[in-house]
Amino acid sequence: MPIAAPLSSPAGTPPGTRTRVAIAGATGYAGQELVRILARHPAVTLTTAMSSGATSTPRPMPALARIWDGTVIPLDVERLVADADIIFLALPEAAAAELAPVLVERGRRVIDLSGAFRIRDHAARQRWYPATAALPSGTVYGFSERNREAIRDARLLSNPGCYPTAALMALSPLADAGLLAGPVVVDAKSGVSGAGKTPSDRTHFSENHGSVAAYGIFGHRHTAEMEQELSAPVTFVPHLVPLDRGILETIYVALRPGTTEAQVGEALHAAYADSPFVRLTGTTLPEIKHVAHTNFCDIGWKVDEAGSRAVLVAVLDNLVKGAAGSAVQNLNIMLGVDERTGLL
């Protein structure tokens, strides 16, 4: 079945010379965000959007009518290879672990939104993502703001997790500047869409509405991702809150004695001077509503100079900067176009 083109072509690269992209897992929350963004991206053509299974029923996406009027079709590896140069995987970890190496071997570049390829240490990966036996050659961790050079040539781009993105945005510049001097505690709140589209008792409206619940203490796989990138232990406590989307992380750190508020600010500003999607708010602390439906990560901070400690607050939309938006930002880096293309 042919996939209908958008009603009008966006300005930019002529349609015949645009990079062909496809999505596997287009019906999930992150997958739908990908369709919404890529259908209007001026440097690519969205040729195919597929579900997560080969036996699913083709279906339209009414929420995207007149943005993308195609039909989501069952998963078909041969068609992915034939229809696209770059393929986005918004699939469960086990499915991505199986499919991504096949696509890379067939000469396609892959941007994977699952956690299957994020952990470099084999033993840690086997604990958290046992379906991933090895990392294919050319695998790059896709932290856009820090790994731009490696991302440009990536064959398999492993998109960061939503929780680690916010935490690492706030913490990495301080770690690089040698300002951290003790335990790191990440207290995170996430909207229900972060749990994915498959319903459960935890995400049932009656259970979630009017409540806040901690979960995954000392057992959340995103802890390994944070510790990998920071090379330091992290105590990570996620909470489910009754919002549809968004993450707010309150991060508590011990600072090197003598560290000033100005030094914390200087480290963050130096790190993100050329990063269009990081907004530093200083001592005015950001909120989820400031970033919902955008690819921005906002970071604010307070420093207790006498006590050599700081509290940072980082917020982002878990479906955009925490998933689909950062994946498209990485696509832009891979294509050599402005990082903001299709996102602003």
Side-chain angles (χ1 to χ4, degrees):
M1 178 184 294
I3 303 298
L7 292 180
S8 60
S9 297
T13 308
T17 60
R18 292 179 188 161
T19 299
R20 301 174 305 152
V21 299
I23 304 166
T27 57
Y29 292 133
Q32 289 185 50
E33 290 289 340
L34 278 172
V35 173
R36 189 186 307 276
I37 297 169
L38 293 172
R40 296 179 286 184
H41 193 293
V44 306
T45 298
L46 177 58
T47 60
T48 306
M50 298 180 180
S51 63
S52 299
T55 59
S56 59
T57 302
R59 58 173 171 159
M61 301 179 77
L64 298 178
R66 300 196 181 183
I67 297 173
W68 184 77
D69 290 321
T71 298
V72 177
I73 63 174
L75 185 62
D76 182 335
V77 176
E78 293 303 322
R79 181 156 179 180
L80 282 175
V81 172
D83 286 0
D85 307 300
I86 299 179
I87 299 163
F88 290 82
L89 301 184
L91 301 170
E93 279 88 5
E98 179 180 355
L99 183 55
V102 173
L103 295 172
V104 171
E105 189 175 331
R106 299 284 295 274
R108 298 297 174 262
R109 302 181 80 181
V110 174
I111 298 176
D112 177 40
L113 277 69
S114 83
F117 303 98
R118 292 174 187 157
I119 304 302
R120 292 184 289 275
D121 179 75
H122 179 76
R125 190 173 62 252
Q126 286 303 291
R127 177 185 178 189
W128 299 110
Y129 303 102
T132 309
L135 300 184
S137 177
T139 300
V140 172
Y141 184 68
F143 191 168
S144 306
E145 284 72 17
R146 296 177 63 81
N147 291 343
R148 289 183 178 95
E149 291 300 320
I151 289 168
R152 287 190 178 95
D153 298 322
R155 303 304 306 169
L156 172 54
L157 193 291
S158 182
N159 221 56
C162 51
Y163 282 130
T165 296
L168 295 172
M169 284 284 192
L171 291 166
S172 294
L174 305 189
D176 289 348
L179 301 182
L180 299 182
V184 172
V185 177
V186 177
D187 181 322
K189 314 293 192 297
S190 176
V192 184
S193 59
K197 198 171 183 182
T198 302
S200 69
D201 288 345
R202 179 177 292 278
T203 60
H204 193 291
F205 178 83
S206 313
E207 299 295 328
N208 186 256
H209 181 66
S211 183
V212 176
Y215 68 98
I217 299 172
F218 300 131
H220 198 292
R221 63 185 63 186
H222 282 180
T223 305
E225 192 176 336
M226 297 177 195
E227 292 182 338
Q228 169 181 273
E229 298 304 310
L230 290 172
S231 298
V234 175
T235 300
F236 172 52
V237 183
H239 300 75
L240 190 65
V241 297
L243 297 172
D244 60 344
R245 63 201 299 154
I247 285 177
L248 183 147
E249 295 186 358
T250 307
I251 303 168
Y252 309 91
V253 299
L255 298 174
R256 185 182 66 204
T259 299
T260 65
E261 183 175 284
Q263 287 176 298
V264 170
E266 287 166 5
L268 288 160
H269 280 284
Y272 298 123
D274 298 318
S275 296
F277 291 112
V278 181
R279 300 187 301 197
L280 302 177
T281 65
T283 57
T284 302
L285 302 181
E287 303 173 19
I288 285 176
K289 281 192 174 181
H290 301 167
V291 296
H293 302 280
T294 79
N295 197 52
F296 290 110
C297 177
D298 289 3
I299 304 169
W301 58 92
K302 298 276 189 178
V303 176
D304 173 15
E305 295 183 359
S308 297
R309 58 184 178 169
V311 174
L312 301 101
V313 175
V315 295
L316 52 76
D317 186 313
N318 58 293
L319 298 179
V320 188
K321 185 57 174 168
S326 63
V328 174
Q329 186 178 350
N330 283 325
L331 167 74
N332 291 336
I333 295 171
M334 293 165 76
L335 296 178
V337 301
D338 192 302
E339 287 180 34
R340 298 168 292 182
T341 305
L343 295 167
L344 287 179

